[in-house]
């Protein structure tokens, strides 16, 4: 995905022609206007520096207050929603930019396209609307082998939304259409028609049927098919079609509740981690402030954990203790390199002209030259070590304060039907182990995984213990009914 997706984005930011630098080597300067959906799609993939290299001098939200920049072209990247279209029409009327390249994340309907055309005619700006494109990029690529459907309003297409007892048919249709649209966009970007398999009689089957229909309708019109001709991956899979397996979350509800033990999963579970960015509150140290002084503000830091971070790529799937060890090793190797640079610097300040010093000088000059040339690499290494030291420390605080290692091991035993060394009641009743949510997760895993549900007497006992621990029992009644 990371091969096709940035190519598609860069093509769009280059006015929908494959990026070729012009003779001066300078890109054409332009403004990028996106909505929250567009921002979520671009931010995990292109850094501010990369955008600048592509000529994006400003990137602004569509619905923010924007000043007119009449001599600059604007590239729009937005969802074709009613309010977005209204705002784009307003921009045309206010003559904000020199020319307009309108890119829609998902396909725009004919009636909305007519609204834009009318606004352009009314504003006398028809010649300034240079291109209108359906980009079919309605999904968010986070890693080379992972994408998510959406981030904005994601609770609207969540497990909970689909399984609400009071959901109406029209709401269900809307959810299914949203999912299908994103999957369709994904396969258009890949330039491939999938073979679809799904579990029967579930929401997964509804998605499969709708997606199948949408793909067939598109292929029927050979002249306008998105899977022939100049699409990015066209012909890539002409003989080998990818397999799309759609599975309903209901077949395995225990896994998402399970406490985790690998680095990436822990960061996702216990920290504020969205779209490859983790936000941390730095603890301000333990020194006590003088009486009556204002409490110190906690510094908020955010770090990007992306494919370019070698440490993250190597260790995100590793168990946490291994990660802590690796951070320590990286730190030691960095310090050794740093000491070497310092030692060489001090030797370079040699006094006196004796023979030994001169010969050492010529040896060390070569070494220092190589040390200096590796300085940028050294600084990047230091940045990554600091980043992962901070992130791993924050994770470790959660593990210690909530005894997450105990939860992880206990749940593993429950899910693999091993013998338990400690009674579940003791775990729930232990005031030092975990938050009410941790305890509830543990009990739900036990309830889902047990071959037969606990007797009413036992259940009452567990309920009492959970209530004493401050748990909200609503999830239990849902799972009970589900089981």
């Amino acid at each position: 995905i990371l091969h096709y997706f940035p190519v598609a984005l860069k093509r769009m930011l280059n006015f929908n022609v494959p990026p070729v630098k012009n003779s001066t080597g300078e890109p054409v300067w332009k403004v990028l206007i996106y909505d929250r959906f567009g921002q979520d799609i671009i931010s995990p993939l292109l850094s501010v520096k990369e955008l600048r290299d592509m000529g994006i001098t400003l990137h602004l939200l569509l619905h923010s207050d924007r000043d007119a920049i009449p001599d600059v072209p604007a590239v729009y990247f937005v969802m074709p929603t009613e309010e977005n279209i209204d705002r784009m029409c307003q921009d045309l009327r206010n003559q904000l930019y020199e020319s307009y390249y309108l890119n829609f994340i998902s396909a725009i309907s004919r009636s909305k396209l007519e609204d834009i055309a009318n606004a352009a005619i009314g504003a006398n700006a028809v010649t300034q609307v240079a291109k209108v494109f359906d980009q079919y990029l309605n999904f968010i690529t986070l890693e080379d082998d992972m994408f998510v459907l959406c981030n904005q309003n994601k609770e609207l297409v969540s497990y909970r939304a689909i399984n609400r007892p009071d959901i109406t048919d029209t709401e269900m249709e809307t959810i299914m259409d949203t999912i299908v649209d994103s999957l369709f966009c994904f396969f258009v970007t890949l330039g491939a028609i999938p073979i679809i398999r799904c579990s029967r009689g579930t929401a997964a089957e509804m998605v499969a049927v709708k997606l199948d229909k949408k793909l067939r309708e598109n292929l029927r019109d050979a002249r306008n098919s998105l899977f022939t001709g100049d699409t990015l991956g066209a012909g890539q899979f002409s003989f080998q079609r990818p397999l799309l397996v759609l599975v309903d979350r209901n077949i395995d509800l225990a896994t998402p509740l399970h406490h985790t033990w690998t680095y990436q999963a822990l960061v996702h579970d216990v920290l504020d981690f969205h779209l490859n960015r983790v936000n941390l509150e730095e603890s301000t140290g333990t020194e006590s402030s003088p009486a009556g002084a204002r409490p110190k503000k906690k510094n908020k830091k955010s770090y990007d954990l992306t494919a370019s971070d070698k440490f993250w790529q190597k260790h995100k799937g590793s168990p946490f203790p291994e990660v802590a060890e690796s951070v320590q090793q990286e730190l030691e190797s960095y310090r050794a390199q740093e000491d070497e640079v310092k030692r060489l610097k001090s030797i370079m300040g040699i006094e006196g002209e004796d023979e030994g010093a001169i010969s050492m000088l010529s040896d060390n000059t070569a070494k220092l030259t190589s040390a200096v040339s590796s300085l940028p690499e050294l600084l990047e290494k230091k940045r990554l070590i600091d980043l992962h030291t901070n992130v791993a420390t924050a994770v470790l605080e959660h593990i210690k304060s909530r005894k997450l290692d105990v939860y992880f091991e206990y749940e593993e035993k429950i899910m693999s039907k091993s013998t338990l060394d400690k009674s579940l009641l003791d775990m729930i009743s232990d005031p030092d182990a975990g938050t009410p949510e941790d305890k509830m997760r543990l009990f739900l895993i036990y309830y889902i995984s047990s071959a037969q549900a606990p007797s009413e007497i036992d259940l009452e006992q567990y309920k009492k213990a959970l209530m004493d621990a401050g748990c909200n029992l609503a999830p239990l009644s849902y799972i009970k009914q589900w089981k």
Side-chain angles (χ1 to χ4, degrees):
I1 318 176
L2 280 184
H3 169 68
Y4 296 111
F5 204 95
V7 174
L9 274 183
K10 285 177 179 173
R11 177 186 284 212
M12 178 192 84
L13 296 174
N14 201 48
F15 307 127
N16 286 302
V17 291
V20 180
K21 289 269 176 79
N22 55 23
S23 51
T24 59
E26 280 291 310
V28 179
W29 298 112
K30 46 197 164 299
V31 180
L32 171 63
I33 311 292
Y34 47 41
D35 60 359
R36 293 260 176 235
F37 291 90
Q39 186 179 30
D40 285 346
I41 291 168
I42 290 172
S43 66
L45 290 174
L46 298 174
S47 65
V48 174
K49 182 190 175 302
E50 286 173 296
L51 288 175
R52 198 175 295 122
D53 291 345
M54 295 176 66
I56 304 292
T57 46
L58 268 180
H59 38 98
L60 304 163
L61 279 165
L62 177 67
H63 292 283
S64 59
D65 294 329
R66 290 175 281 116
D67 297 326
I69 315 175
D71 50 354
V72 171
V75 175
Y76 285 74
F77 184 49
V78 296
M79 282 295 247
T81 62
E82 201 70 57
E83 51 184 345
N84 283 355
I85 304 287
D86 289 348
R87 186 61 191 256
M88 289 161 92
C89 295
Q90 195 180 317
D91 288 358
L92 288 170
R93 283 192 288 272
N94 296 345
Q95 298 185 343
L96 290 192
Y97 307 110
E98 177 194 58
S99 53
Y100 302 83
Y101 293 81
L102 310 181
N103 298 281
F104 295 101
I105 295 171
S106 191
I108 182 172
S109 68
R110 187 174 175 89
S111 63
K112 286 180 180 154
L113 205 53
E114 285 168 4
D115 293 344
I116 296 175
N118 288 333
I121 291 165
N124 213 356
V126 176
T127 53
Q128 287 162 285
V129 179
K131 287 181 180 176
V132 181
F133 266 82
D134 286 334
Q135 286 295 349
Y136 294 100
L137 293 175
N138 188 15
F139 59 97
I140 300 170
T141 304
L142 295 178
E143 289 172 27
D144 203 4
D145 48 10
M146 182 170 90
F147 69 96
V148 292
L149 298 193
C150 63
N151 181 52
Q152 299 296 323
N153 312 337
K154 61 174 175 273
E155 64 283 354
L156 298 182
V157 292
S158 62
Y159 173 85
R160 181 177 174 270
I162 294 175
N163 291 281
R164 273 190 7 242
D166 58 345
I167 188 167
T168 63
D169 286 353
T170 48
E171 284 172 325
M172 192 63 156
E173 284 290 320
T174 309
I175 295 173
M176 296 298 118
D177 288 341
T178 311
I179 294 172
V180 167
D181 183 59
S182 289
L183 290 174
F184 181 75
C185 288
F186 173 74
F187 285 106
V188 170
T189 302
L190 220 54
I193 309 277
I195 293 164
I196 307 174
R197 295 282 177 266
C198 63
S199 41
R200 287 193 178 278
T202 60
E205 189 176 19
M206 290 173 73
V207 171
V209 169
K210 274 181 176 288
L211 180 60
D212 178 69
K213 187 174 171 220
K214 191 161 183 162
L215 287 164
R216 284 173 193 281
E217 277 170 5
N218 188 266
L219 287 171
R220 200 168 290 136
D221 180 359
R223 280 183 314 178
N224 294 321
S225 172
L226 295 160
F227 295 94
T228 53
D230 182 33
T231 50
L232 292 168
Q236 193 76 16
F237 294 107
S238 45
F239 299 111
Q240 184 187 355
R241 288 166 57 192
L243 175 67
L244 172 65
V245 181
L246 293 165
V247 186
D248 201 286
R249 177 79 268 173
N250 270 326
I251 68 162
D252 171 24
L253 261 187
T255 301
L257 296 166
H258 186 16
H259 285 86
T260 53
W261 197 234
T262 55
Y263 190 28
Q264 184 179 29
L266 272 167
V267 170
H268 186 265
D269 193 355
V270 302
L271 302 179
D272 175 15
F273 183 49
H274 287 291
L275 302 184
N276 293 349
R277 174 168 291 179
V278 61
N279 297 308
L280 292 183
E281 270 196 358
E282 286 199 322
S283 49
T284 49
T286 48
E287 75 276 357
S288 56
S289 38
R294 283 187 178 176
K296 286 188 179 172
K297 270 182 89 174
K298 286 190 173 178
N299 290 335
K300 286 199 169 176
K301 286 226 162 163
S302 62
Y303 301 109
D304 289 322
L305 299 171
T306 59
S308 59
D309 178 339
K310 291 192 178 70
F311 185 90
W312 177 247
Q313 286 305 92
K314 189 174 174 188
H315 295 291
K316 63 185 181 187
S318 308
F320 190 72
E322 277 179 33
V323 174
E325 216 171 280
S326 302
V327 172
Q328 194 56 39
Q329 283 166 3
E330 290 279 331
L331 189 58
E332 280 160 19
S333 90
Y334 166 77
R335 282 193 180 138
Q337 276 177 287
E338 196 180 38
D339 290 345
E340 177 68 358
V341 173
K342 280 181 185 161
R343 192 177 70 75
L344 291 168
K345 276 185 179 165
S346 67
I347 289 173
M348 294 306 273
I350 297 165
E351 308 284 316
E353 295 292 317
D354 64 319
E355 287 301 304
I358 298 289
S359 68
M360 274 174 73
L361 191 62
S362 58
D363 282 353
N364 285 309
T365 310
K367 280 189 184 168
L368 186 64
T369 312
S370 88
V372 168
S373 66
S374 68
L375 214 53
E377 201 181 305
L378 206 59
L379 289 170
E380 175 61 8
K381 198 170 187 180
K382 173 87 169 80
R383 186 186 73 81
L384 290 182
I385 292 168
D386 289 346
L387 184 163
H388 288 287
T389 304
N390 291 344
V391 172
T393 307
V395 170
L396 186 61
E397 281 170 11
H398 280 275
I399 292 174
K400 278 182 175 162
S401 66
R402 291 160 58 183
K403 296 191 180 174
L404 295 181
D405 49 336
V406 180
Y407 275 93
F408 168 71
E409 282 175 22
Y410 200 88
E411 289 165 0
E412 285 280 283
K413 284 178 181 165
I414 291 176
M415 290 165 82
S416 62
K417 311 277 190 282
S418 310
T419 43
L420 304 171
D421 48 356
K422 189 178 177 188
S423 91
L424 186 62
L425 265 180
D426 289 349
M427 283 283 290
I428 294 168
S429 311
D430 181 350
D432 299 325
T435 61
E437 189 185 83
D438 290 328
K439 294 177 181 193
M440 197 65 202
R441 279 166 67 176
L442 170 66
F443 185 71
L444 290 178
I445 289 171
Y446 163 74
Y447 195 89
I448 291 167
S449 306
S450 55
Q452 65 228 59
S455 67
E456 280 303 316
I457 300 165
D458 287 354
L459 193 60
E460 283 310 312
Q461 215 176 352
Y462 285 128
K463 274 188 176 174
K464 185 182 182 312
L466 287 165
M467 281 177 77
D468 291 346
C471 297
N472 169 7
L473 293 186
L476 177 57
S477 45
Y478 176 82
I479 291 291
K480 202 175 161 187
Q481 193 181 358
W482 170 86
K483 186 149 180 163

